[in-house]
Amino acid sequence: MYLLRPILKTYYDSLEDGKVLGMKCQDCGKVVWPPLPTCQDCGSYNLDWIEMGDEAIIDEIRFEDSSVGGDYTYRKADEFFTEKDPYCVSVGHWPNGSHQFHAALYGVTEENKDDLITKLPLKAKVHLIQLNGGFKSVGFELEDVEAK
């Protein structure tokens, strides 16, 4: 097991409890996710923990079937993911105003990707990904394909 710095330990411990934490800047009000020691907007160190919730908004779907392994990003992630279900990369944001992020997105297939792309942005539920080494990471899963 790796030794984590306090900010990382708090974050990864919360994932073990099924909660996704971010940080809110007390100076400018911006939300930082994943958590960092400083605000991405104003540079302040005055940040408090907040719960991010259990769903995010997916703004973009970058589809390449992860089972093919043609892109290094997918091959690299698959080495560390304990579940090997197909996923794609997405660009999204949390409803509470975080910057955009990239994350694994489950529920997109070759058959439904074009239809889903026409419905963007979409709501997606948090899907915690178990990683080799005992950690979890945050991904998302499309359950309801109605447009946001």
Side-chain angles (χ1 to χ4, degrees):
M1 189 63 93
Y2 300 98
L3 179 61
L4 298 175
R5 296 184 314 172
I7 194 169
L8 290 176
K9 181 164 178 20
T10 299
Y11 177 70
Y12 284 104
D13 284 350
S14 76
L15 294 180
E16 290 300 319
D17 294 335
K19 294 180 197 170
V20 181
L21 294 181
M23 302 188 98
K24 185 169 186 173
C25 179
Q26 298 307 301
D27 292 333
C28 74
K30 296 291 185 175
V31 174
V32 179
W33 187 85
L36 296 169
T38 60
C39 177
Q40 293 173 305
D41 280 52
C42 73
S44 172
Y45 292 99
N46 190 15
L47 300 151
D48 288 332
W49 290 106
I50 60 167
E51 286 192 34
M52 300 301 289
D54 66 352
E55 87 180 3
I57 308 301
I58 302 302
D59 300 308
E60 184 179 337
I61 294 172
R62 297 183 180 172
F63 183 81
E64 179 178 332
D65 185 348
S66 63
S67 65
V68 175
D71 180 274
Y72 175 76
T73 303
Y74 298 105
R75 288 198 312 265
K76 187 69 170 172
D78 279 348
E79 291 175 24
F80 296 102
F81 289 13
T82 60
E83 57 183 82
K84 303 300 183 187
D85 297 334
Y87 65 92
C88 67
V89 170
S90 66
V91 177
H93 67 277
W94 294 95
N96 61 6
S98 69
H99 286 270
Q100 284 192 314
F101 57 75
H102 291 83
L105 179 65
Y106 295 87
V108 179
T109 65
E110 186 70 46
E111 294 74 31
N112 71 7
K113 71 177 171 73
D114 292 331
D115 183 52
L116 291 173
I117 289 169
T118 66
K119 295 178 179 178
L120 290 170
L122 295 166
K123 291 181 181 180
K125 290 285 188 188
V126 167
H127 176 95
L128 295 178
I129 303 164
Q130 185 63 51
L131 302 176
N132 293 326
F135 293 106
K136 286 187 169 66
S137 184
V138 178
F140 298 91
E141 184 169 12
L142 294 173
E143 293 177 349
D144 179 3
V145 293
E146 292 181 29
K148 195 261 175 225

